[in-house]
Amino acid sequence: MNIEEEFLKITDKSVFPHEKDYVGIYKTFKNAFDKDVHPEIKTKILEIEKSGYYNDHGVDHIKMVIDRVSKIISCLNPTLNPEPNKFFISPYEVFILLMAIQLHDTGHLIGSRAEHAKKGKELLAKFDAGNVLNTSEKLVIGNIARAHGGQDDPIGKLQNSDSLSHQKIRPQFLAASLRLGDELAEDLTRASKFLIEIDSLEATSKIFHLYSASLDSVDLSEREIQLSFYVMDKFLVDKYPKQTKSGTVEEFLLTEIYKRTQKTFLEALYCGRFLPEECRFNKVRVKINLVTSSDHDQVTSPIAYELKENGYPVLEKSDIFDVCKSLTMYDGQQIDGDYISNLVKSKMKLS
């Protein structure tokens, strides 16, 4: 079920508070955001690429987030009309969720990267100067959108259940769906493939675009997330500069993939606290195919590993080689960026 497509089919206004035309309201906001807001975000991102900003944040990204959120919610066998043995999500909740998705990255226009999650609420207040939405709706939509970023437990600070315009909504469920959907909205469609080919990306942004370009598919099934990568050998040889809080560091693309898949796993665990059991993902399964640039053959067997909780939980951050034993060969050699770089170089010499 695509939540936006199903929402736009609704013709019965009686399902909404005060029989208000929320479908029409959403269409108006969506059209305005598509025309005047999301393209500007994309332009803003390009202006600040030098600081290591990455990937598309325009209209296509919003579509992708809606698709990923829809896939998460589809695990619940959902319905927009109360039915036996189905998970009911009200049309009004879908409206709140879709508005939060439209809003979640808009803070880039008026705030820094670190502040953008907080700034969306401010932008919504300015954008809805005519007060089409009431004050409580703008507050709740802004809070749900804001919770898509940050490590200070933003979803936990929301209410589990609340009453809005005399209807029950579940802010934590909606925020967790948005946050995990945003995390999974990352694949080759977000990368600037042409700029990669002509090597015209800012140096500190390249690794992020290469990550997206390498991620071919994201699948959700049986409470696990499956990530499939296809990485060209020419991008596995060298390290790339990357901006961090402590300054610029250099990393292999393979290292970035390892780190980002660990982040996906942590986001799945965090969001799972606030999601129904049927869409709690407790495992991330990763497959990295290494491909030759010359004839698109395999450099070596795919790197495969899975991230899942093991043993007694600890607070310390684990190294990926500690939690994924399959990334260490029988002789103790770790399949890290250096190992793959040397392997690719030797293959290139032979070809």
Side-chain angles (χ1 to χ4, degrees), residues 283-323:
K283 182 188 296 184
V284 174
R285 191 184 297 274
V286 183
K287 185 178 181 181
I288 307 173
N289 299 277
L290 310 178
V291 184
T292 60
S293 305
S294 56
D295 56 3
H296 295 85
D297 197 4
Q298 287 188 323
V299 173
T300 186
S301 299
I303 299 171
Y305 59 93
E306 60 182 37
L307 294 157
K308 62 181 180 180
E309 289 186 287
N310 289 300
Y312 188 82
V314 293
L315 294 175
E316 293 81 13
K317 290 184 179 179
S318 297
D319 185 274
I320 194 166
F321 299 104
D322 293 331
V323 296

mmCIF file of all heavy atoms in Angstrom, residues 283-323:
data_model
loop_
_atom_site.group_PDB
_atom_site.id
_atom_site.type_symbol
_atom_site.label_atom_id
_atom_site.label_comp_id
_atom_site.label_asym_id
_atom_site.label_seq_id
_atom_site.Cartn_x
_atom_site.Cartn_y
_atom_site.Cartn_z
ATOM 1 N N LYS A 283 17.240 -7.216 12.338
ATOM 2 C CA LYS A 283 18.413 -7.713 11.625
ATOM 3 C C LYS A 283 18.593 -6.924 10.331
ATOM 4 O O LYS A 283 17.619 -6.597 9.641
ATOM 5 C CB LYS A 283 18.252 -9.194 11.290
ATOM 6 C CG LYS A 283 19.456 -9.830 10.582
ATOM 7 C CD LYS A 283 19.155 -11.251 10.110
ATOM 8 C CE LYS A 283 18.895 -12.194 11.261
ATOM 9 N NZ LYS A 283 18.702 -13.595 10.791
ATOM 10 N N VAL A 284 19.845 -6.605 10.006
ATOM 11 C CA VAL A 284 20.179 -5.997 8.717
ATOM 12 C C VAL A 284 21.126 -6.950 8.002
ATOM 13 O O VAL A 284 22.211 -7.250 8.501
ATOM 14 C CB VAL A 284 20.841 -4.608 8.893
ATOM 15 C CG1 VAL A 284 21.303 -4.066 7.539
ATOM 16 C CG2 VAL A 284 19.862 -3.628 9.544
ATOM 17 N N ARG A 285 20.700 -7.437 6.859
ATOM 18 C CA ARG A 285 21.514 -8.366 6.079
ATOM 19 C C ARG A 285 22.120 -7.603 4.893
ATOM 20 O O ARG A 285 21.390 -6.951 4.137
ATOM 21 C CB ARG A 285 20.664 -9.526 5.584
ATOM 22 C CG ARG A 285 21.472 -10.689 4.978
ATOM 23 C CD ARG A 285 20.536 -11.747 4.415
ATOM 24 N NE ARG A 285 19.709 -12.343 5.434
ATOM 25 C CZ ARG A 285 20.076 -13.376 6.194
ATOM 26 N NH1 ARG A 285 21.280 -13.907 6.023
ATOM 27 N NH2 ARG A 285 19.262 -13.875 7.095
ATOM 28 N N VAL A 286 23.428 -7.681 4.739
ATOM 29 C CA VAL A 286 24.151 -6.879 3.747
ATOM 30 C C VAL A 286 24.898 -7.787 2.771
ATOM 31 O O VAL A 286 25.526 -8.767 3.181
ATOM 32 C CB VAL A 286 25.161 -5.932 4.431
ATOM 33 C CG1 VAL A 286 25.863 -5.048 3.396
ATOM 34 C CG2 VAL A 286 24.473 -5.078 5.495
ATOM 35 N N LYS A 287 24.822 -7.430 1.502
ATOM 36 C CA LYS A 287 25.590 -8.126 0.467
ATOM 37 C C LYS A 287 26.253 -7.072 -0.415
ATOM 38 O O LYS A 287 25.574 -6.222 -0.987
ATOM 39 C CB LYS A 287 24.690 -9.027 -0.377
ATOM 40 C CG LYS A 287 25.436 -9.870 -1.408
ATOM 41 C CD LYS A 287 24.479 -10.782 -2.167
ATOM 42 C CE LYS A 287 25.214 -11.649 -3.180
ATOM 43 N NZ LYS A 287 24.273 -12.518 -3.936
ATOM 44 N N ILE A 288 27.593 -7.141 -0.494
ATOM 45 C CA ILE A 288 28.354 -6.162 -1.275
ATOM 46 C C ILE A 288 29.027 -6.879 -2.433
ATOM 47 O O ILE A 288 29.952 -7.680 -2.241
ATOM 48 C CB ILE A 288 29.422 -5.467 -0.405
ATOM 49 C CG1 ILE A 288 28.791 -4.888 0.868
ATOM 50 C CG2 ILE A 288 30.114 -4.366 -1.204
ATOM 51 C CD1 ILE A 288 29.798 -4.345 1.861
ATOM 52 N N ASN A 289 28.543 -6.604 -3.641
ATOM 53 C CA ASN A 289 29.127 -7.180 -4.851
ATOM 54 C C ASN A 289 30.220 -6.251 -5.375
ATOM 55 O O ASN A 289 29.988 -5.057 -5.578
ATOM 56 C CB ASN A 289 28.045 -7.357 -5.919
ATOM 57 C CG ASN A 289 26.941 -8.306 -5.478
ATOM 58 O OD1 ASN A 289 27.060 -9.516 -5.588
ATOM 59 N ND2 ASN A 289 25.847 -7.746 -4.961
ATOM 60 N N LEU A 290 31.406 -6.798 -5.604
ATOM 61 C CA LEU A 290 32.537 -6.026 -6.109
ATOM 62 C C LEU A 290 32.681 -6.308 -7.600
ATOM 63 O O LEU A 290 32.882 -7.451 -8.011
ATOM 64 C CB LEU A 290 33.810 -6.415 -5.360
ATOM 65 C CG LEU A 290 33.701 -6.421 -3.828
ATOM 66 C CD1 LEU A 290 35.007 -6.857 -3.197
ATOM 67 C CD2 LEU A 290 33.272 -5.061 -3.300
ATOM 68 N N VAL A 291 32.574 -5.258 -8.418
ATOM 69 C CA VAL A 291 32.425 -5.421 -9.861
ATOM 70 C C VAL A 291 33.573 -4.747 -10.609
ATOM 71 O O VAL A 291 33.980 -3.624 -10.277
ATOM 72 C CB VAL A 291 31.080 -4.826 -10.330
ATOM 73 C CG1 VAL A 291 30.856 -5.079 -11.816
ATOM 74 C CG2 VAL A 291 29.919 -5.393 -9.516
ATOM 75 N N THR A 292 34.099 -5.407 -11.640
ATOM 76 C CA THR A 292 35.169 -4.829 -12.454
ATOM 77 C C THR A 292 34.604 -3.786 -13.407
ATOM 78 O O THR A 292 33.532 -3.955 -13.976
ATOM 79 C CB THR A 292 35.887 -5.918 -13.271
ATOM 80 O OG1 THR A 292 34.940 -6.556 -14.138
ATOM 81 C CG2 THR A 292 36.516 -6.953 -12.369
ATOM 82 N N SER A 293 35.346 -2.702 -13.580
ATOM 83 C CA SER A 293 34.903 -1.633 -14.480
ATOM 84 C C SER A 293 35.016 -2.051 -15.938
ATOM 85 O O SER A 293 34.234 -1.602 -16.783
ATOM 86 C CB SER A 293 35.757 -0.378 -14.254
ATOM 87 O OG SER A 293 35.735 0.022 -12.919
ATOM 88 N N SER A 294 35.967 -2.921 -16.250
ATOM 89 C CA SER A 294 36.247 -3.273 -17.646
ATOM 90 C C SER A 294 35.161 -4.149 -18.265
ATOM 91 O O SER A 294 34.730 -3.909 -19.395
ATOM 92 C CB SER A 294 37.593 -3.991 -17.741
ATOM 93 O OG SER A 294 37.609 -5.137 -16.898
ATOM 94 N N ASP A 295 34.719 -5.168 -17.545
ATOM 95 C CA ASP A 295 33.741 -6.092 -18.141
ATOM 96 C C ASP A 295 32.588 -6.446 -17.201
ATOM 97 O O ASP A 295 31.818 -7.361 -17.467
ATOM 98 C CB ASP A 295 34.437 -7.382 -18.592
ATOM 99 C CG ASP A 295 35.183 -8.063 -17.458
ATOM 100 O OD1 ASP A 295 35.110 -7.573 -16.311
ATOM 101 O OD2 ASP A 295 35.854 -9.085 -17.718
ATOM 102 N N HIS A 296 32.455 -5.703 -16.100
ATOM 103 C CA HIS A 296 31.364 -5.914 -15.137
ATOM 104 C C HIS A 296 31.288 -7.358 -14.646
ATOM 105 O O HIS A 296 30.209 -7.938 -14.499
ATOM 106 C CB HIS A 296 30.021 -5.475 -15.740
ATOM 107 C CG HIS A 296 29.960 -4.008 -16.005
ATOM 108 N ND1 HIS A 296 30.452 -3.457 -17.163
ATOM 109 C CD2 HIS A 296 29.511 -2.966 -15.253
ATOM 110 C CE1 HIS A 296 30.288 -2.143 -17.128
ATOM 111 N NE2 HIS A 296 29.725 -1.823 -15.983
ATOM 112 N N ASP A 297 32.456 -7.916 -14.411
ATOM 113 C CA ASP A 297 32.553 -9.239 -13.810
ATOM 114 C C ASP A 297 32.812 -9.058 -12.316
ATOM 115 O O ASP A 297 33.039 -7.950 -11.842
ATOM 116 C CB ASP A 297 33.695 -10.025 -14.466
ATOM 117 C CG ASP A 297 33.611 -11.518 -14.197
ATOM 118 O OD1 ASP A 297 32.618 -11.943 -13.573
ATOM 119 O OD2 ASP A 297 34.537 -12.244 -14.589
ATOM 120 N N GLN A 298 32.796 -10.166 -11.572
ATOM 121 C CA GLN A 298 33.062 -10.082 -10.143
ATOM 122 C C GLN A 298 34.567 -10.027 -9.870
ATOM 123 O O GLN A 298 35.328 -10.799 -10.449
ATOM 124 C CB GLN A 298 32.465 -11.284 -9.417
ATOM 125 C CG GLN A 298 30.946 -11.241 -9.298
ATOM 126 C CD GLN A 298 30.431 -12.361 -8.391
ATOM 127 O OE1 GLN A 298 30.960 -13.464 -8.388
ATOM 128 N NE2 GLN A 298 29.392 -12.074 -7.632
ATOM 129 N N VAL A 299 34.972 -9.113 -9.011
ATOM 130 C CA VAL A 299 36.366 -9.046 -8.589
ATOM 131 C C VAL A 299 36.694 -10.256 -7.727
ATOM 132 O O VAL A 299 37.729 -10.904 -7.883
ATOM 133 C CB VAL A 299 36.631 -7.758 -7.793
ATOM 134 C CG1 VAL A 299 38.042 -7.763 -7.209
ATOM 135 C CG2 VAL A 299 36.429 -6.524 -8.664
ATOM 136 N N THR A 300 35.789 -10.565 -6.827
ATOM 137 C CA THR A 300 35.906 -11.711 -5.930
ATOM 138 C C THR A 300 34.509 -12.039 -5.429
ATOM 139 O O THR A 300 33.539 -11.387 -5.822
ATOM 140 C CB THR A 300 36.856 -11.383 -4.757
ATOM 141 O OG1 THR A 300 37.069 -12.557 -3.976
ATOM 142 C CG2 THR A 300 36.303 -10.281 -3.878
ATOM 143 N N SER A 301 34.396 -13.030 -4.591
ATOM 144 C CA SER A 301 33.078 -13.382 -4.053
ATOM 145 C C SER A 301 32.490 -12.199 -3.295
ATOM 146 O O SER A 301 33.235 -11.422 -2.671
ATOM 147 C CB SER A 301 33.198 -14.582 -3.113
ATOM 148 O OG SER A 301 33.698 -15.707 -3.800
ATOM 149 N N PRO A 302 31.176 -12.036 -3.322
ATOM 150 C CA PRO A 302 30.557 -10.917 -2.606
ATOM 151 C C PRO A 302 30.882 -10.948 -1.115
ATOM 152 O O PRO A 302 31.054 -12.021 -0.520
ATOM 153 C CB PRO A 302 29.058 -11.140 -2.842
ATOM 154 C CG PRO A 302 28.979 -11.958 -4.084
ATOM 155 C CD PRO A 302 30.184 -12.850 -4.052
ATOM 156 N N ILE A 303 30.997 -9.770 -0.541
ATOM 157 C CA ILE A 303 31.142 -9.643 0.912
ATOM 158 C C ILE A 303 29.739 -9.679 1.507
ATOM 159 O O ILE A 303 28.878 -8.885 1.117
ATOM 160 C CB ILE A 303 31.838 -8.323 1.282
ATOM 161 C CG1 ILE A 303 33.241 -8.273 0.674
ATOM 162 C CG2 ILE A 303 31.906 -8.148 2.797
ATOM 163 C CD1 ILE A 303 33.910 -6.905 0.822
ATOM 164 N N ALA A 304 29.499 -10.596 2.404
ATOM 165 C CA ALA A 304 28.174 -10.737 2.999
ATOM 166 C C ALA A 304 28.284 -10.777 4.517
ATOM 167 O O ALA A 304 29.173 -11.433 5.072
ATOM 168 C CB ALA A 304 27.492 -11.998 2.479
ATOM 169 N N TYR A 305 27.403 -10.060 5.178
ATOM 170 C CA TYR A 305 27.359 -10.096 6.639
ATOM 171 C C TYR A 305 25.977 -9.666 7.112
ATOM 172 O O TYR A 305 25.185 -9.103 6.347
ATOM 173 C CB TYR A 305 28.441 -9.197 7.249
ATOM 174 C CG TYR A 305 28.376 -7.735 6.871
ATOM 175 C CD1 TYR A 305 27.704 -6.805 7.659
ATOM 176 C CD2 TYR A 305 29.019 -7.257 5.725
ATOM 177 C CE1 TYR A 305 27.671 -5.459 7.327
ATOM 178 C CE2 TYR A 305 28.988 -5.913 5.385
ATOM 179 C CZ TYR A 305 28.313 -5.017 6.189
ATOM 180 O OH TYR A 305 28.269 -3.681 5.860
ATOM 181 N N GLU A 306 25.684 -9.958 8.360
ATOM 182 C CA GLU A 306 24.420 -9.536 8.945
ATOM 183 C C GLU A 306 24.670 -8.880 10.297
ATOM 184 O O GLU A 306 25.577 -9.264 11.039
ATOM 185 C CB GLU A 306 23.450 -10.700 9.075
ATOM 186 C CG GLU A 306 23.913 -11.848 9.935
ATOM 187 C CD GLU A 306 22.902 -12.985 9.982
ATOM 188 O OE1 GLU A 306 22.264 -13.255 8.948
ATOM 189 O OE2 GLU A 306 22.775 -13.586 11.067
ATOM 190 N N LEU A 307 23.900 -7.868 10.561
ATOM 191 C CA LEU A 307 23.973 -7.142 11.823
ATOM 192 C C LEU A 307 22.750 -7.498 12.650
ATOM 193 O O LEU A 307 21.611 -7.338 12.195
ATOM 194 C CB LEU A 307 24.015 -5.636 11.566
ATOM 195 C CG LEU A 307 25.270 -5.128 10.854
ATOM 196 C CD1 LEU A 307 24.990 -3.802 10.154
ATOM 197 C CD2 LEU A 307 26.411 -4.967 11.828
ATOM 198 N N LYS A 308 22.962 -8.000 13.841
ATOM 199 C CA LYS A 308 21.867 -8.349 14.734
ATOM 200 C C LYS A 308 22.378 -8.281 16.158
ATOM 201 O O LYS A 308 23.587 -8.266 16.407
ATOM 202 C CB LYS A 308 21.331 -9.739 14.417
ATOM 203 C CG LYS A 308 22.336 -10.865 14.580
ATOM 204 C CD LYS A 308 21.723 -12.201 14.216
ATOM 205 C CE LYS A 308 22.758 -13.331 14.382
ATOM 206 N NZ LYS A 308 22.183 -14.642 14.036
ATOM 207 N N GLU A 309 21.460 -8.236 17.099
ATOM 208 C CA GLU A 309 21.840 -8.178 18.499
ATOM 209 C C GLU A 309 22.378 -9.533 18.942
ATOM 210 O O GLU A 309 21.798 -10.570 18.645
ATOM 211 C CB GLU A 309 20.651 -7.781 19.354
ATOM 212 C CG GLU A 309 20.241 -6.329 19.178
ATOM 213 C CD GLU A 309 19.151 -5.917 20.136
ATOM 214 O OE1 GLU A 309 18.008 -6.348 19.926
ATOM 215 O OE2 GLU A 309 19.442 -5.172 21.085
ATOM 216 N N ASN A 310 23.491 -9.496 19.644
ATOM 217 C CA ASN A 310 24.105 -10.721 20.144
ATOM 218 C C ASN A 310 24.459 -10.568 21.613
ATOM 219 O O ASN A 310 24.972 -9.520 22.021
ATOM 220 C CB ASN A 310 25.391 -11.053 19.361
ATOM 221 C CG ASN A 310 25.100 -11.506 17.940
ATOM 222 O OD1 ASN A 310 24.424 -12.499 17.739
ATOM 223 N ND2 ASN A 310 25.609 -10.767 16.970
ATOM 224 N N GLY A 311 24.206 -11.609 22.375
ATOM 225 C CA GLY A 311 24.646 -11.635 23.758
ATOM 226 C C GLY A 311 24.020 -10.561 24.618
ATOM 227 O O GLY A 311 22.990 -9.974 24.290
ATOM 228 N N TYR A 312 24.660 -10.290 25.732
ATOM 229 C CA TYR A 312 24.168 -9.277 26.658
ATOM 230 C C TYR A 312 24.449 -7.891 26.092
ATOM 231 O O TYR A 312 25.555 -7.624 25.624
ATOM 232 C CB TYR A 312 24.858 -9.431 28.018
ATOM 233 C CG TYR A 312 24.265 -8.543 29.084
ATOM 234 C CD1 TYR A 312 23.116 -8.915 29.766
ATOM 235 C CD2 TYR A 312 24.848 -7.306 29.391
ATOM 236 C CE1 TYR A 312 22.556 -8.103 30.738
ATOM 237 C CE2 TYR A 312 24.300 -6.486 30.358
ATOM 238 C CZ TYR A 312 23.164 -6.884 31.030
ATOM 239 O OH TYR A 312 22.609 -6.067 31.979
ATOM 240 N N PRO A 313 23.465 -6.978 26.075
ATOM 241 C CA PRO A 313 23.688 -5.647 25.481
ATOM 242 C C PRO A 313 24.718 -4.845 26.259
ATOM 243 O O PRO A 313 24.778 -4.894 27.485
ATOM 244 C CB PRO A 313 22.299 -4.992 25.559
ATOM 245 C CG PRO A 313 21.593 -5.716 26.654
ATOM 246 C CD PRO A 313 22.101 -7.132 26.607
ATOM 247 N N VAL A 314 25.553 -4.114 25.514
ATOM 248 C CA VAL A 314 26.562 -3.259 26.124
ATOM 249 C C VAL A 314 26.394 -1.843 25.605
ATOM 250 O O VAL A 314 25.802 -1.620 24.546
ATOM 251 C CB VAL A 314 27.994 -3.766 25.802
ATOM 252 C CG1 VAL A 314 28.246 -5.100 26.468
ATOM 253 C CG2 VAL A 314 28.215 -3.881 24.294
ATOM 254 N N LEU A 315 26.917 -0.884 26.362
ATOM 255 C CA LEU A 315 26.770 0.513 25.988
ATOM 256 C C LEU A 315 27.830 0.957 24.997
ATOM 257 O O LEU A 315 27.612 1.857 24.205
ATOM 258 C CB LEU A 315 26.854 1.398 27.241
ATOM 259 C CG LEU A 315 25.705 1.228 28.255
ATOM 260 C CD1 LEU A 315 25.978 2.078 29.486
ATOM 261 C CD2 LEU A 315 24.372 1.632 27.629
ATOM 262 N N GLU A 316 29.006 0.316 25.013
ATOM 263 C CA GLU A 316 30.086 0.737 24.142
ATOM 264 C C GLU A 316 29.742 0.471 22.679
ATOM 265 O O GLU A 316 29.084 -0.513 22.351
ATOM 266 C CB GLU A 316 31.378 -0.021 24.483
ATOM 267 C CG GLU A 316 31.949 0.321 25.847
ATOM 268 C CD GLU A 316 31.251 -0.438 26.964
ATOM 269 O OE1 GLU A 316 30.507 -1.383 26.647
ATOM 270 O OE2 GLU A 316 31.431 -0.089 28.122
ATOM 271 N N LYS A 317 30.232 1.357 21.804
ATOM 272 C CA LYS A 317 30.049 1.143 20.372
ATOM 273 C C LYS A 317 30.981 0.023 19.915
ATOM 274 O O LYS A 317 32.179 0.034 20.198
ATOM 275 C CB LYS A 317 30.355 2.424 19.592
ATOM 276 C CG LYS A 317 29.332 3.526 19.798
ATOM 277 C CD LYS A 317 29.627 4.723 18.925
ATOM 278 C CE LYS A 317 28.580 5.806 19.113
ATOM 279 N NZ LYS A 317 28.851 7.006 18.280
ATOM 280 N N SER A 318 30.438 -0.937 19.194
ATOM 281 C CA SER A 318 31.234 -2.074 18.743
ATOM 282 C C SER A 318 31.828 -1.812 17.376
ATOM 283 O O SER A 318 31.217 -1.167 16.527
ATOM 284 C CB SER A 318 30.369 -3.328 18.683
ATOM 285 O OG SER A 318 29.884 -3.666 19.959
ATOM 286 N N ASP A 319 33.033 -2.307 17.156
ATOM 287 C CA ASP A 319 33.636 -2.295 15.838
ATOM 288 C C ASP A 319 32.928 -3.338 14.989
ATOM 289 O O ASP A 319 32.551 -4.406 15.478
ATOM 290 C CB ASP A 319 35.120 -2.643 15.975
ATOM 291 C CG ASP A 319 35.854 -2.535 14.653
ATOM 292 O OD1 ASP A 319 35.830 -3.531 13.902
ATOM 293 O OD2 ASP A 319 36.434 -1.478 14.383
ATOM 294 N N ILE A 320 32.729 -3.043 13.699
ATOM 295 C CA ILE A 320 31.967 -3.963 12.854
ATOM 296 C C ILE A 320 32.628 -5.334 12.782
ATOM 297 O O ILE A 320 31.964 -6.360 12.633
ATOM 298 C CB ILE A 320 31.748 -3.371 11.442
ATOM 299 C CG1 ILE A 320 30.667 -4.184 10.705
ATOM 300 C CG2 ILE A 320 33.067 -3.345 10.656
ATOM 301 C CD1 ILE A 320 30.137 -3.522 9.472
ATOM 302 N N PHE A 321 33.941 -5.399 12.917
ATOM 303 C CA PHE A 321 34.632 -6.687 12.863
ATOM 304 C C PHE A 321 34.410 -7.495 14.147
ATOM 305 O O PHE A 321 34.593 -8.705 14.153
ATOM 306 C CB PHE A 321 36.132 -6.476 12.610
ATOM 307 C CG PHE A 321 36.410 -5.778 11.313
ATOM 308 C CD1 PHE A 321 36.768 -4.441 11.285
ATOM 309 C CD2 PHE A 321 36.277 -6.451 10.098
ATOM 310 C CE1 PHE A 321 37.003 -3.791 10.081
ATOM 311 C CE2 PHE A 321 36.514 -5.805 8.892
ATOM 312 C CZ PHE A 321 36.878 -4.471 8.885
ATOM 313 N N ASP A 322 33.981 -6.814 15.216
ATOM 314 C CA ASP A 322 33.643 -7.522 16.446
ATOM 315 C C ASP A 322 32.270 -8.164 16.358
ATOM 316 O O ASP A 322 32.038 -9.239 16.919
ATOM 317 C CB ASP A 322 33.665 -6.557 17.644
ATOM 318 C CG ASP A 322 35.067 -6.057 17.956
ATOM 319 O OD1 ASP A 322 36.027 -6.796 17.679
ATOM 320 O OD2 ASP A 322 35.190 -4.927 18.463
ATOM 321 N N VAL A 323 31.347 -7.492 15.654
ATOM 322 C CA VAL A 323 29.969 -7.990 15.623
ATOM 323 C C VAL A 323 29.678 -8.838 14.392
ATOM 324 O O VAL A 323 28.675 -9.553 14.365
ATOM 325 C CB VAL A 323 28.958 -6.816 15.697
ATOM 326 C CG1 VAL A 323 29.092 -6.102 17.029
ATOM 327 C CG2 VAL A 323 29.139 -5.836 14.554
#
